[in-house]
Amino acid sequence: MADERAERIGEFIKPLRVRPGSKVNLGRDFDPRFKAGMKKRDGVELLETGVSLLAEYQERLAAQDTYGVLLCLQALDAGGKDGTIRHVMSGVNPQGVRVSSFKVPSSEELDHDYLWRYARRLPARGEIAIFNRSHYEEVLVVRVHAENLVRQKLPDDARGPGVWDRRYREINDWERYLTDNGFKVVKIFLNLSKEEQRTRFMKRIDLPEKNWKFSAADVRERRRWDDYQRAFSEMLSATSTKWAPWYVVPADRKWFARICAGAVLAHTLMDIDPQYPEVGEQARKDLLVTKRELEQEAPAGAPADPYAARHPGAVRAADRRPATRPTWRS
């Protein structure tokens, strides 16, 4: 990545990345209130810059039609997953992004292997797929609530000792398979403190317009806080790999979490560095023929090429490089 922006973003997100092979203790190693010395008013401009970068690179990703990107978002209840998706992806073309949320598995899904329903929602080449909760639920909520493992209809020997280590290996292998085939996997855990979760739950109760977001089940899950913290720590330790790293994003400040999530995704796209496809000589000739036809349709007093008249610098720059054509435009 020659782009200096990529290097700066890389340095910014470096403290968030879980080093492959490291032993993670979530409460000790990552501060949910960390903000890198940044102030909120500065964060607004940074988020806008990140959204602009994502729009630029998403169009190139779609035009090249070679790579796909899978973004996995994990968090406890009220961690800010929905808001992060809404803000970070606000400037991208919805044709190239697909968001999937995974709830309690259906009877049909339980009749298949545990990765089946996630595999069905993977991105196509040129797409970004976002998993709002992901296949990591299979080593988180399923682990904390052992009854869910029973519901998966596994053979007895598949539920015995070592099931979680086996699932970590299977997930790592699956993600390696995806990356080997051109699908980048990037994973973000929104790290929320227990007190901030309590505050957000209280807001959902106190404000009538937020009542619909509150569920008593969320409070029941909160009682298993320590169990989830251990499950998250083990998951991060076992499944942050060189080909599919985890980033632990401080989530107590929503504005900072959104900046971090945007930076992680932008860095992934910049690492791919997708390019617009080059148009062949014959196609270029056909474009020039069409251009002349359109120029001849110009009304009296109008420039033959309105775009060139408004942006002469852009047209001259295009003439100095190979002609390119996106496969779709906004």
Side-chain angles (χ1 to χ4, degrees):
M1 293 181 295
D3 197 321
E4 292 182 2
R5 296 175 301 178
E7 294 181 7
R8 291 197 299 270
I9 292 173
E11 285 301 311
F12 175 72
I13 64 175
K14 187 176 180 180
L16 312 177
R17 182 167 177 155
V18 177
R19 182 170 52 83
S22 62
K23 184 73 172 178
V24 176
N25 182 314
L26 200 53
R28 178 196 66 202
D29 299 333
F30 295 96
D31 180 6
R33 295 192 59 77
F34 177 72
K35 59 173 184 174
M38 192 180 297
K39 296 182 179 179
K40 186 174 182 179
R41 63 174 177 269
D42 300 322
V44 174
E45 182 179 352
L46 281 172
L47 182 58
E48 291 176 353
T49 300
V51 169
S52 177
L53 273 174
L54 285 176
E56 172 191 344
Y57 276 87
Q58 182 218 10
E59 184 173 17
R60 288 163 56 173
L61 182 79
Q64 189 182 60
D65 199 29
T66 301
Y67 293 93
V69 174
L70 172 61
L71 172 62
C72 301
L73 274 179
Q74 288 291 153
L76 287 170
D77 297 310
K81 298 185 301 301
D82 293 341
T84 296
I85 295 170
R86 186 170 61 251
H87 284 80
V88 170
M89 307 307 291
S90 60
V92 302
N93 191 317
Q95 292 182 70
V97 178
R98 181 154 43 114
V99 180
S100 299
S101 297
F102 295 97
K103 307 295 184 182
V104 175
S106 67
S107 58
E108 179 187 17
E109 289 167 342
L110 289 171
D111 275 337
H112 292 80
D113 66 271
Y114 70 91
L115 290 176
W116 180 78
R117 64 173 180 157
Y118 308 102
R120 299 176 74 203
R121 305 300 297 170
L122 288 171
R125 300 192 190 280
E127 283 187 344
I128 298 173
I130 301 174
F131 283 0
N132 184 345
R133 298 188 186 270
S134 70
H135 46 291
Y136 283 96
E137 293 293 283
E138 306 298 334
V139 292
L140 292 170
V141 66
V142 176
R143 182 169 190 173
V144 172
H145 294 278
E147 64 274 15
N148 289 321
L149 193 62
V150 176
R151 292 181 64 232
Q152 291 185 345
K153 306 179 183 179
L154 296 168
D156 291 341
D157 57 357
R159 295 200 307 266
V163 59
W164 308 117
D165 287 339
R166 189 182 71 247
R167 287 199 171 187
Y168 293 146
R169 173 180 54 78
E170 291 165 348
I171 288 172
N172 286 340
D173 289 345
W174 187 56
E175 292 174 349
R176 184 60 184 264
Y177 165 79
L178 292 175
T179 58
D180 285 348
N181 283 274
F183 296 92
K184 299 292 185 179
V185 181
V186 61
K187 303 173 297 197
I188 293 175
F189 170 59
L190 297 172
N191 186 27
L192 189 70
S193 70
K194 192 173 186 179
E195 177 57 18
E196 179 61 22
Q197 187 193 55
R198 187 179 76 90
T199 300
R200 294 182 188 181
F201 281 170
M202 293 298 290
K203 182 179 180 179
R204 292 179 179 184
I205 294 171
D206 291 342
L207 299 181
E209 65 272 23
K210 299 288 185 181
N211 288 170
W212 66 274
K213 299 182 76 173
F214 182 77
S215 169
D218 296 342
V219 175
R220 289 197 297 271
E221 288 299 281
R222 179 177 166 83
R223 295 171 189 151
R224 306 294 297 270
W225 180 272
D226 291 341
D227 294 332
Y228 273 108
Q229 293 298 295
R230 283 191 292 270
F232 277 120
S233 295
E234 290 195 24
M235 174 201 75
L236 294 168
S237 301
T239 61
S240 188
T241 58
K242 183 179 179 180
W243 56 88
W246 273 106
Y247 292 87
V248 178
V249 167
D252 276 16
R253 294 177 172 89
K254 292 181 180 179
W255 61 269
F256 187 70
R258 291 162 184 168
I259 290 170
C260 293
V264 169
L265 183 54
H267 190 263
T268 301
L269 290 170
M270 296 172 89
D271 191 26
I272 296 172
D273 195 23
Q275 302 296 316
Y276 291 120
E278 293 188 9
V279 173
E281 186 63 28
Q282 184 57 50
R284 180 63 180 168
K285 290 178 181 178
D286 294 341
L287 286 174
L288 293 176
V289 169
T290 303
K291 180 177 181 178
R292 285 194 291 271
E293 291 177 2
L294 293 172
E295 288 174 339
Q296 291 169 6
E297 295 177 10
D305 186 339
Y307 183 83
R310 295 172 192 163
H311 309 280
V315 174
R316 284 196 297 270
D319 289 341
R320 291 194 297 268
R321 66 176 185 266
T324 58
R325 176 177 56 83
T327 55
W328 56 264
R329 295 183 182 275
S330 57

